[in-house]
Amino acid sequence: MRFIHIADVHLGAEPDRGYPWGARRGREIWDSFRSVIQRAGEEQTDLLLIAGDLFHRQPLKREIKEVDSLLAGLVRTKVVMIAGNHDYIRNDSYYRNYEWSPNVTFLRGAELESVYFPELQTEVYGFSYHSQEIRENLYDGIRPQRPDRINILLAHGGDDNHIPVRKDLPAVSGFDYIALGHIHKPGMLASGRMAYAGALEPIDMNDTGPHGYISGEIANGQPRITFVRAASREYLHKEWRITPEDTFETVRAGIRHFIEENSSHNIYKIILRGQRDPDIYLDQEELQTLGNIIRIEDGTEPDLDYEKLEREHGDDLVGRYIRRFRRMPDSRINEDALYYGVQALLRGQR
């Protein structure tokens, strides 16, 4: 029995709104979802498992219709899905009464239910969120009813506020595979019997690393799973070390080269570290024009030579400030006051 396991698609999300590339991100999430469905159809996958948060928020009726239309095109593939904490089933949710295509099973109940596919000898269990938070360990007591079948659990959670999940859950529950959602980083647990597919596309700058879905097969009670990269972009964090010998141009050229090497399509967070020449101004606005840079954090400190600064600034405010603190007793408080005060005064003179 061959399956594809996806989760945390977050259709309707608009990551990085307001940035030049932000307008495309919402469309890219839909495009990646369509690509997975196309892959399932081409490979004649038996099951498509959707482990919650298909939508980023309460779905509109037209959005559900669009998804159902895409899933209905899967001639061979059965689809089983649950709602997660983002698209949980509210009292007024369109999820409640929508009639899905015959090949789609939505386990929409708040209590455990299942669907059995005789031609696959496979039973899929799960339940949906009906509130944004569920703090009880609801998966701990779940057991499949027929051990002679292939048994799969669709689950969404993994933190204190969203159904804590035991790492040894497959061993104590008896499921052949547990398809997890909620955590956006992919991860295989329990020797491949349980896995987070991760978000199909990263949806904020902390969703670093590869994203995609799980492709798997269960034969003779043994699952074999593979993570497949599918996201159109990645968020990359880069800590950039600076020395007093650097100029703004050397920093600018280095960051530009790094982006060219790692794809101008990706999205970057740059963290500047180290000591810089106090006369150098790191223009963050200009640095952000080098590519899809969502944030620049300046954690640099000026390399201050107080004796030299005192000679250069003579009797101006900077010089007098340095002389005053250098006459004071040595202490960490006085050192910090001297350091940060001089920084502020030098910035004011730019």
Side-chain angles (χ1 to χ4, degrees):
M1 193 281 294
R2 294 179 302 145
F3 65 89
I4 286 177
H5 161 204
I6 63 175
D8 302 284
V9 181
H10 290 279
L11 296 172
E14 297 179 337
D16 307 340
R17 181 188 288 186
Y19 289 89
W21 63 89
R24 300 191 295 274
R25 293 295 292 129
R27 294 195 299 271
E28 288 169 356
I29 293 172
W30 277 93
D31 288 344
S32 291
F33 179 59
R34 292 187 187 100
S35 295
V36 172
I37 295 171
Q38 182 178 353
R39 177 81 175 266
E42 291 172 350
E43 297 183 352
Q44 295 190 328
T45 303
D46 296 308
L47 272 180
L48 173 61
L49 305 168
I50 305 176
D53 285 355
L54 176 59
F55 291 95
H56 188 60
R57 36 137 180 84
Q58 293 297 308
L60 303 174
K61 193 170 185 178
R62 63 173 174 80
E63 293 174 322
I64 295 178
K65 287 183 176 181
E66 290 293 335
V67 167
D68 190 35
S69 176
L70 289 168
L71 298 177
L74 293 171
V75 176
R76 175 185 169 88
T77 306
K78 306 293 185 184
V79 181
V80 188
M81 58 184 286
I82 59 174
N85 60 295
H86 275 264
D87 57 354
Y88 72 99
I89 302 178
R90 296 191 322 201
N91 291 334
D92 60 349
S93 174
Y94 289 112
Y95 267 158
R96 284 189 173 273
N97 300 311
Y98 185 82
E99 293 296 327
W100 294 84
S101 297
N103 67 318
V104 180
T105 301
F106 185 18
L107 302 176
R108 72 184 86 197
E111 304 292 332
L112 184 70
E113 53 187 326
S114 69
V115 56
Y116 178 56
F117 303 105
E119 66 275 29
L120 303 176
Q121 297 183 345
T122 298
E123 190 164 6
V124 182
Y125 293 76
F127 59 84
S128 287
Y129 276 62
H130 283 241
S131 60
Q132 287 182 301
E133 293 186 354
I134 302 176
R135 299 185 179 184
E136 296 79 16
N137 299 5
L138 297 182
Y139 296 125
D140 284 5
I142 293 176
R143 302 290 183 274
Q145 298 300 309
R146 292 286 300 271
D148 55 320
R149 298 173 175 173
I150 295 174
N151 291 291
I152 295 175
L153 175 63
L154 267 181
H156 190 91
D159 62 42
D160 290 342
N161 295 322
H162 305 95
I163 313 183
V165 176
R166 294 173 53 170
K167 292 184 178 179
D168 63 345
L169 189 57
V172 299
S173 66
F175 284 97
D176 296 293
Y177 181 68
I178 298 176
L180 290 168
H182 182 61
I183 304 300
H184 285 194
K185 290 185 183 295
M188 299 182 188
L189 306 170
S191 301
R193 287 190 174 273
M194 179 166 68
Y196 283 101
L200 189 59
E201 284 273 346
I203 63 167
D204 72 40
M205 68 177 174
N206 293 316
D207 282 350
T208 55
H211 288 80
Y213 62 90
I214 298 289
S215 177
E217 179 179 359
I218 298 177
N220 301 318
Q222 294 296 321
R224 292 186 301 173
I225 62 175
T226 303
F227 173 73
V228 180
R229 298 174 75 132
S232 58
R233 308 174 189 248
E234 288 185 24
Y235 289 93
L236 299 178
H237 292 186
K238 173 64 175 176
E239 187 170 288
W240 199 265
R241 303 301 300 184
I242 292 176
T243 69
E245 287 72 39
D246 274 311
T247 66
F248 176 70
E249 284 304 317
T250 63
V251 174
R252 183 181 183 279
I255 292 174
R256 183 174 183 174
H257 180 66
F258 173 76
I259 291 173
E260 289 173 350
E261 281 191 325
N262 290 275
S263 174
S264 60
H265 199 59
N266 288 329
I267 304 167
Y268 298 88
K269 174 182 173 182
I270 307 294
I271 306 103
L272 305 175
R273 298 278 190 235
Q275 289 191 319
R276 55 177 168 77
D277 184 324
D279 293 327
I280 297 302
Y281 174 53
L282 299 174
D283 189 336
Q284 296 185 34
E285 288 188 10
E286 183 172 344
L287 291 177
Q288 284 197 280
T289 66
L290 299 176
N292 297 333
I293 298 179
I294 192 168
R295 179 176 295 178
I296 292 181
E297 294 182 359
D298 187 356
T300 62
E301 298 176 347
D303 183 34
L304 298 177
D305 183 336
Y306 295 117
E307 291 184 4
K308 180 181 177 183
L309 284 170
E310 186 179 351
R311 289 195 304 270
E312 290 177 347
H313 287 269
D315 203 38
D316 69 10
L317 188 57
V318 174
R320 295 199 305 273
Y321 188 88
I322 292 172
R323 282 195 294 276
R324 177 181 177 185
F325 272 91
R326 295 188 73 186
R327 290 195 297 266
M328 297 178 72
D330 290 338
S331 72
R332 183 56 187 268
I333 293 176
N334 288 339
E335 288 176 7
D336 287 347
L338 173 60
Y339 177 78
Y340 291 112
V342 170
Q343 280 194 79
L345 292 171
L346 291 173
R347 280 198 297 269
Q349 291 186 353
R350 289 194 186 116

